[in-house]
Amino acid sequence: MNVQTSTVMAPPAPRSLDAMLLPMAMMRDILIKTMFRMNLDQVSQISRTICLPVVVTQELVDLARGQLLVEATGTLNANSSAEMGYRLTDAGRARALDALHQSEYYGPMPVPLSVYAEQVKRQSIRNTQITREQLTTAMGHLVLPADLLSHLGPAVGAGRSILMYGPPGNGKSSISNGIRDALGDKIYVPRAIAYSGQVITVYDPVVHSAAENDVDDPTSLRRTAGRFDTRYVRCERPTVITGGELSLSMLDLVYNPTARTYQAPLQMKSTGGIFIVDDLGRQTEPPQMLVNRWIVPLEENRDILALQSGEKFEVPFDTLVVFSTNFHPNAIFDKAALRRIFYKIKIDGPNQEDYLKIFAMVARKRQMPLDEDTLVHLLNVRYPEINNIYANFHPTFLIDHMISICDFEGIPYHMSPDLLDRAWANMFVTDEDIVR
């Protein structure tokens, strides 16, 4: 759901090898590894694969030719374009094999860390402006307390950390997803970045949703307005969602010893977007330890990562972190940790009026006719048994169970006190059910 127009400044394409700000040897090796692995022999093919303009790719090919690693072959055949063909020399193939032994990375040319940091500033999550109308539109499918958006809106607009807490089953995860939908603009995610001679892949199709109709043509000699550096992918602002599986190791660089390359950690992949830590308190590490890992990033907008060699370096931390938990914050955090989470928002269950709205909405979506006697039985008999504590997930649970019963019995979808009681029995486990 796009609720605003992107105003993010696109990264300009490099116009020369010097403008790349990468070591010449690194660029040359990526070129010849790519030619070797993918059997490429035309500059237009190579430029698309390494994501550089034709003029810069040609400059790089000429550099390799000057070092006798690449040689020209002339035009390929009578049916081809008049484009010159190139191939690796024996020395070039030997160098490609040696370079592949050092690192298997080939393909898109990486972006230097310093250049990436500048682009992060241009598209910072803290530069977004979220209005009440945008947030209401993104949350339109949810029935929320009247004052919730008044608390949530400023938190999202500030791009600061948020802790949502309250009883389970009341939409904390859905609200987190609604926040993601409210951020409707596009940003540019690097395919890979380079630091200290190492390549770190960032773009991940599992996390990043590439925008449609945004394919650049690197063979164009003139790059018109709206074109951008194709070492980046234009994407929706990313959202990374983790739950009980989150561990501290997942926040570190992932090293592939076979390929001898790195993969960016989860929070780096979410740069410019949202990192949702769902079910906080269900992880192996205590919540206090997880938040301690975030102290520097949350306060100083920078993260510290480490290479296999032990060398540490800084990367931008530009992420809206949303923690969601069913536990009371005072039970899982000390005061110092809570102080570092900028916004604390309690998500309670619905009142009876909102509960009935949710029930009717789910019934309409499931094509289940409402029945007054069943609703009266639900409100006057069943809910007093649990002190009239309503939860957002109850309507979906009860209606889906009644539908399952109707399917099994081969009868039309309908509600009745009897069907409701059968569904209700599946929603709770009482102490009497425990085998002693």
Side-chain angles (χ1 to χ4, degrees):
M1 178 188 302
N2 292 344
V3 295
Q4 63 187 59
T5 302
S6 175
T7 57
V8 169
M9 183 183 299
R15 296 186 176 184
S16 68
L17 282 184
D18 288 336
M20 296 282 293
L21 303 180
L22 289 170
M24 290 293 179
M26 172 184 249
M27 292 189 288
R28 178 208 63 201
D29 284 351
I30 290 177
L31 167 72
I32 62 176
K33 285 190 290 183
T34 303
M35 292 178 67
F36 180 82
R37 283 293 193 210
M38 302 189 70
N39 195 30
L40 302 178
D41 51 20
Q42 289 184 313
V43 171
S44 60
Q45 298 172 332
I46 299 169
S47 69
R48 283 192 293 270
T49 305
I50 66 175
C51 300
L52 293 181
V54 164
V55 291
V56 180
T57 304
Q58 184 67 62
E59 191 179 352
L60 188 56
V61 170
D62 290 342
L63 172 70
R65 286 183 70 189
Q67 297 178 2
L68 305 180
L69 301 174
V70 171
E71 61 186 4
T73 63
T75 54
L76 293 179
N77 55 60
N79 296 324
S80 72
S81 65
E83 189 174 346
M84 181 71 72
Y86 296 93
R87 66 187 178 195
L88 297 177
T89 63
D90 290 342
R93 285 189 289 274
R95 176 58 204 161
L97 288 170
D98 185 53
L100 285 166
H101 180 72
Q102 297 175 39
S103 169
E104 278 283 343
Y105 183 84
Y106 62 92
M109 202 65 66
V111 177
L113 177 58
S114 59
V115 176
Y116 164 66
E118 290 301 315
Q119 182 61 30
V120 169
K121 290 179 183 178
R122 287 193 286 263
Q123 59 194 28
S124 173
I125 187 74
R126 295 174 181 85
N127 293 340
T128 58
Q129 294 182 346
I130 300 296
T131 65
R132 179 180 289 274
E133 180 181 0
Q134 290 169 340
L135 201 55
T136 300
T137 299
M139 304 282 188
H141 60 297
L142 303 175
V143 177
L144 302 174
D147 62 342
L148 178 59
L149 294 187
S150 298
H151 297 295
L152 195 61
V156 176
R160 307 293 293 269
S161 54
I162 301 172
L163 172 64
M164 293 192 295
Y165 65 98
N170 285 310
K172 292 186 291 296
S173 299
S174 298
I175 292 170
S176 298
N177 292 333
I179 293 173
R180 172 198 62 197
D181 293 340
L183 301 172
D185 58 346
K186 311 290 192 301
I187 64 169
Y188 298 86
V189 178
R191 302 174 192 273
I193 65 171
Y195 173 77
S196 189
Q198 303 298 315
V199 176
I200 303 167
T201 59
V202 179
Y203 174 72
D204 182 347
V206 175
V207 171
H208 302 108
S209 299
E212 296 180 359
N213 303 320
D214 280 328
V215 180
D216 197 11
D217 181 9
T219 68
S220 175
L221 296 178
R222 292 185 178 179
R223 305 177 69 88
T224 58
R227 306 280 187 186
F228 59 89
D229 186 347
T230 56
R231 290 179 296 167
Y232 294 82
V233 181
R234 189 168 182 258
C235 299
E236 307 286 344
R237 286 191 180 270
T239 299
V240 172
I241 303 176
T242 64
E245 78 282 2
L246 178 64
S247 64
L248 288 172
S249 63
M250 296 167 68
L251 305 179
D252 296 329
L253 286 173
V254 179
Y255 181 68
N256 184 327
T258 302
R260 291 167 291 280
T261 58
Y262 292 87
Q263 184 179 134
L266 293 176
Q267 73 277 15
M268 191 171 178
K269 292 181 180 180
S270 69
T271 298
I274 305 175
F275 190 105
I276 299 172
V277 182
D278 208 359
D279 284 331
L280 187 64
R282 306 292 184 191
Q283 292 76 20
T284 302
E285 284 97 354
Q288 186 75 46
M289 290 182 63
L290 289 172
V291 172
N292 286 346
R293 169 63 179 81
W294 297 88
I295 287 177
V296 170
L298 290 176
E299 290 194 341
E300 301 183 16
N301 302 328
R302 62 185 179 90
D303 199 4
I304 300 174
L305 302 176
L307 300 174
Q308 283 289 106
S309 64
E311 179 183 357
K312 295 184 178 181
F313 62 103
E314 292 183 5
V315 295
F317 185 85
D318 187 75
T319 302
L320 172 61
V321 182
V322 179
F323 299 102
S324 174
T325 183
N326 299 331
F327 298 97
H328 193 283
N330 291 339
I332 56 177
F333 296 124
D334 61 23
K335 292 182 179 179
L338 281 176
R339 177 174 59 83
R340 290 178 168 91
I341 301 176
F342 210 72
Y343 290 91
K344 276 79 73 176
I345 301 175
K346 186 177 183 182
I347 310 295
D348 275 321
N351 57 30
Q352 187 180 95
E353 180 182 357
D354 285 343
Y355 176 86
L356 290 174
K357 289 180 182 178
I358 297 170
F359 199 98
M361 185 171 65
V362 174
R364 183 168 56 252
K365 186 176 181 180
R366 300 290 198 272
Q367 298 183 339
M368 168 70 84
L370 289 172
D371 177 73
E372 184 176 350
D373 290 341
T374 303
L375 290 175
V376 170
H377 179 73
L378 176 65
L379 298 179
N380 293 344
V381 177
R382 286 307 177 189
Y383 271 104
E385 297 174 354
I386 58 170
N387 298 318
N388 293 314
I389 298 175
Y390 304 98
N392 285 14
F393 81 94
H394 288 174
T396 300
F397 186 97
L398 294 171
I399 291 172
D400 282 352
H401 272 70
M402 286 189 281
I403 287 175
S404 296
I405 294 171
C406 290
D407 286 339
F408 176 74
E409 301 290 354
I411 56 179
Y413 290 172
H414 72 285
M415 295 181 184
S416 70
D418 176 63
L419 290 178
L420 179 71
D421 287 343
R422 291 172 67 180
W424 184 271
N426 282 298
M427 198 156 64
F428 302 102
V429 176
T430 64
D431 290 340
E432 292 133 9
D433 297 326
I434 299 175
V435 178
R436 302 183 188 279

